[in-house]
């Protein structure tokens, strides 16, 4: 039986997966558009651009990981599902927000930074290593959001 607390906890997990996925899909999409334009002119640069396009996809993985951790802690994979109070459900929901919001926003901005880096590779392919650092800096905030959510889920909520 699904209680209000359990529903809120599941909503938190779904929010982490959904918002992380939205940020990643937007970021990968705009980086892909820029990469396609460069590859149209010079197909030899495909390998250098592939990582830049894929980099914003990590936010979706982080959101999925946080959602998976909530489902695992709740015992949704075959264990006995605990009865959660509404307060405990809200704790799960709010524990998922750092990764959800950080990944949605950083995915979008990492995509924009990747587009700038793709411009560097288009004009100066020998600088592709330096160009990779620019969007990778944005990754820091998605990782911090993931770490905050993991710590809250694992140690901040007692069930």
């Amino acid at each position: 039986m699904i209680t209000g607390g359990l529903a809120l906890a599941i909503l938190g997990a779904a929010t982490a997966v959904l918002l992380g996925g939205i940020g990643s899909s937007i970021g990968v999409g705009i980086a892909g558009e820029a990469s396609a334009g460069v590859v149209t002119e010079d197909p030899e640069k495909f390998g250098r651009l592939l990582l830049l396009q894929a980099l914003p996809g990590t936010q979706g993985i982080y959101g999925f990981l946080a959602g998976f951790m909530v489902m695992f802690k709740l015992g949704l994979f075959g264990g006995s599902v605990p009865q959660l109070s509404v307060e405990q459900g809200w704790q799960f929901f709010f524990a998922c927000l750092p990764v959800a919001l950080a990944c949605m926003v950083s995915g979008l901005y990492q995509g924009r930074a990747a587009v700038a880096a793709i411009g560097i590779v288009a004009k100066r392919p020998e600088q592709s290593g330096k160009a990779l650092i620019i969007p990778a800096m944005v990754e820091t905030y998605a990782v911090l959001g993931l770490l905050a959510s993991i710590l809250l889920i694992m140690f901040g909520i007692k069930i």
Side-chain angles (χ1 to χ4, degrees), residues 1 14 39-40 47 51 57 60 70-71 75 78 81-82 90 92 99 106 111 125 134 139 141 144 147 149 156-157:
M1 177 174 174
V39 170
T40 300
L51 183 58
V70 169
M71 291 184 281
V81 179
W90 280 116
F92 274 104
V99 71
S106 70
I134 294 169
E139 186 84 12
Y141 302 99
L144 291 176
L147 288 175
S149 288
I157 303 170

Side-chain angles (χ1 to χ4, degrees), residues 40-102:
T40 300
E41 297 292 323
D42 186 359
E44 296 296 319
K45 292 179 180 166
F46 175 77
R48 294 176 187 252
L49 298 175
L50 184 60
L51 183 58
L52 290 171
Q53 182 188 353
L55 201 54
T58 56
Q59 281 81 355
I61 295 168
Y62 299 157
F64 178 78
L65 180 61
F68 182 83
M69 290 185 68
V70 169
M71 291 184 281
F72 184 77
K73 187 164 183 172
L74 293 174
L76 295 179
F77 297 112
S80 60
V81 179
Q83 293 292 323
L84 295 180
S85 67
V86 173
E87 290 80 16
Q88 289 172 316
W90 280 116
Q91 289 174 351
F92 274 104
F93 181 81
F94 285 116
C96 291
L97 287 184
V99 71
L101 296 174

